[in-house]
Amino acid sequence: MRDRYNKQLELLNQQMIEMGSLCEEIIRKTSRSLEEENPALAKNALPLEEQINEKEREIENLCFRLLLEQQPVASDLRKISAALKMITDLERIGDQAEDIAELADYVEEKASPNDISKIREIAEHASQMVTRSIDAYVKQDLDLARQVIQHDDIVDDLFSKLKKDIIGICKERPEDGEYSLDLMMIAKYYERVADHATNIGEWVEYSITGVHKGGQ
């Protein structure tokens, strides 16, 4: 019985890694589509969102089986409960990336390399946060989880600077107001990805310490 239980916990780790990898891939494809002015890349990212949804259902079912069949001890119970919370944030990351993919067509014709490079920077930081938050969960690494949480300040600062740049575009080129709004939305979606990664880091912290500071 214990051997089966341990295998299920190992499977949970593997499934979480796979879901995190799908999120990383969809973020990478959307940001590349902007950088390379290639709408096809963004469209190729869309099927990944359904894979993320399917992985969420698989992990949810596995967690419920562990809770109902195995009666896990306190530390494992926290880890399983944290996984159930984390997959909600991972699924929302997929949703944000899908929204970015849908907007990509509208900005690529007018986007300047400078604008896109700044969005790409935000996307890269957000993607790293997702990777590290899942790594922290699998390794039960409290320091890494806290690094992810602190890293959100960097993304917030980058987004704040980009927002000022976009406001400047609105003033200088009022005819490009719709483009500016789409650009702002894309940057905001990546900033939200970082927020979800922060939530994941907070749930990792809870799984280790039993204390959740996020208040969610």
Side-chain angles (χ1 to χ4, degrees):
M1 179 68 74
R2 183 69 193 181
D3 185 55
R4 180 170 181 269
Y5 175 54
N6 287 335
K7 286 181 178 178
Q8 286 180 310
L9 288 176
E10 290 173 8
L11 177 60
L12 175 59
N13 281 344
Q14 184 57 41
Q15 296 275 40
M16 293 295 291
I17 291 171
E18 290 174 7
M19 190 173 183
S21 295
L22 287 169
C23 289
E24 293 164 39
E25 186 176 357
I26 198 171
I27 294 167
R28 184 170 61 252
K29 283 189 174 182
T30 55
S31 63
R32 277 186 58 207
S33 76
L34 292 167
E35 186 175 41
E36 298 175 12
E37 298 184 11
N38 184 353
L41 275 175
K43 290 176 182 176
N44 289 340
L46 293 176
L48 291 171
E49 200 271 335
E50 182 52 43
Q51 293 180 44
I52 290 169
N53 292 342
E54 179 61 30
K55 188 61 67 176
E56 180 191 26
R57 290 188 287 268
E58 290 177 12
I59 294 172
E60 188 176 59
N61 288 336
L62 176 58
C63 287
F64 286 147
R65 287 201 305 273
L66 281 163
L67 291 171
L68 295 173
E69 297 173 7
Q70 303 294 347
Q71 297 181 335
V73 296
S75 58
D76 289 341
L77 178 61
R78 289 198 305 270
K79 189 174 184 184
I80 296 165
S81 300
L84 283 169
K85 295 290 188 178
M86 290 164 62
I87 59 175
T88 299
D89 280 294
L90 288 169
E91 188 274 333
R92 288 175 181 168
I93 287 171
D95 291 342
Q96 304 290 345
E98 182 182 35
D99 291 334
I100 292 166
E102 291 174 352
L103 283 171
D105 272 346
Y106 298 103
V107 303
E108 282 166 351
E109 288 185 4
K110 293 185 177 181
S112 72
N114 186 51
D115 294 337
I116 296 305
S117 68
K118 291 177 180 179
I119 289 180
R120 171 88 179 191
E121 187 177 6
I122 295 173
E124 286 176 351
H125 280 285
S127 181
Q128 289 172 12
M129 289 173 67
V130 174
T131 303
R132 291 171 182 170
S133 64
I134 298 299
D135 198 27
Y137 174 80
V138 172
K139 295 178 179 178
Q140 290 290 276
D141 187 329
L142 183 59
D143 287 340
L144 186 56
R146 288 174 174 170
Q147 287 173 28
V148 171
I149 296 167
Q150 293 168 359
H151 201 98
D152 190 48
D153 290 339
I154 295 174
V155 175
D156 288 343
D157 185 56
L158 288 170
F159 175 70
S160 179
K161 290 177 180 176
L162 179 58
K163 186 163 61 174
K164 291 177 182 177
D165 291 344
I166 294 172
I167 291 171
I169 294 172
C170 290
K171 292 178 179 178
E172 294 171 9
R173 306 199 309 265
E175 69 277 10
D176 288 337
E178 188 173 353
Y179 159 74
S180 299
L181 180 59
D182 289 340
L183 203 65
M184 180 80 79
M185 290 303 299
I186 288 173
K188 183 62 180 177
Y189 286 139
Y190 281 126
E191 190 264 344
R192 286 296 297 147
V193 168
D195 287 343
H196 289 303
T198 301
N199 290 344
I200 293 169
E202 289 170 351
W203 284 113
V204 174
E205 185 174 28
Y206 162 78
S207 74
I208 298 168
T209 66
V211 177
H212 182 242
K213 299 177 182 177
Q216 297 184 16

